[in-house]
Amino acid sequence: MWALSVNNLTKNFGGIKAIRDINVNIEKGKIIGIIGPNGAGKTTFFNLLTGIYSPTTGEIVYNLDSQVRTKDLKPHKIVHYGIARTFQNIRLFKEMTVLDNILIGFHNRLKYGVGSTLLRLPSYYKAEKSTHEEALELLDKFDLLNKKDELAKNLPYGDQRKLEIARALAAKPKLLLLDEPAAGMNPIETKELRDLINWIREAFELTIILIEHDMSLVMNICEEILVFDYGNLVAQGSPEEIQNNERVIKAYLGEEVEEC
Ligand code: ATP
């Protein structure tokens, strides 16, 4: 069963062809990695999946809570379709506490309307109470409970990344997109992140797509890897297949090895 089907997806920025006629199906419940050189189109692909950009041509079909076929997804609606993401540059409310950052994530999916919020009806208080408890539970699972009252900006880098993932999960997504989750992490933090991603996939029954330059993370955690180059999907396969793919070695992995 697939979670996401991308059909003939193309995105041009003027003369730049950032995504060129990509076709791919993403299987439900898998952890999928996207790799490729700088400028290959990886972030543009995420921005198309989350409605930040509209495709020049092609479409994306989501099969999450319900089937949604779209050419023009509104970013603010994304959360209601069961999609959440994190960003390459961490986007937290840095002057707010850790707990408040999570509570904001919950607000995206609360059922009560603006009316009951303004009038402070019982439904509002009930929802508030249970989200507060859920937020604390989520922080506990992410080992951040003892830091709940700290300002987000004062957390160590690795914890900020974790908090961003926790906040994304507060929206109860079915599909989680992680843009370079290991960027700036040390090897110990990266290993913890690997365990965390594996755990949340099971615990939250997620399909996860991650863009990542850290090859040890990608090769260890992903069941399938997509390789982008100049906006093209040039290879798709298991970590082993990708590591042995001549074209990928030439376009990307070879380069990486030389850099080390
Ligand atoms: P990196 O690994 O460096 O993040 P990437 O694979 O994510 O790179 P993209 O950021 O998707 O690559 O960029 C793909 C191409 O599209 C690049 O040539 C980039 O300059 C161009 N591009 C991306 N966004 C825009 C935009 N909003 N306007 C114009 N060009 C853009």
Side-chain angles (χ1 to χ4, degrees), residues 41-61:
K42 305 179 297 294
T43 299
T44 302
F45 186 65
F46 264 21
N47 286 337
L48 288 163
L49 295 185
T50 51
I52 291 176
Y53 297 149
S54 304
T56 304
T57 57
E59 63 167 11
I60 302 158
V61 188

Side-chain angles (χ1 to χ4, degrees), residues 13 16 18 36-45 53 88 180 213:
F13 296 105
I16 298 169
N38 291 335
K42 305 179 297 294
T43 299
T44 302
F45 186 65
Y53 297 149
Q88 213 166 315
E180 297 196 31
H213 288 287

Side-chain angles (χ1 to χ4, degrees), residues 58-70:
E59 63 167 11
I60 302 158
V61 188
Y62 297 95
N63 188 27
L64 301 166
D65 280 339
S66 56
Q67 203 172 104
V68 179
R69 176 179 290 271
T70 180

Side-chain angles (χ1 to χ4, degrees), residues 3 7 17 33 37 64 94 97 110 136 139 150 173 229 235 252:
N7 305 320
K17 296 180 187 316
L64 301 166
K94 294 193 191 285
T97 66
L110 286 185
L136 294 177
L139 285 176
E150 285 186 33
D229 194 22
Y252 187 55

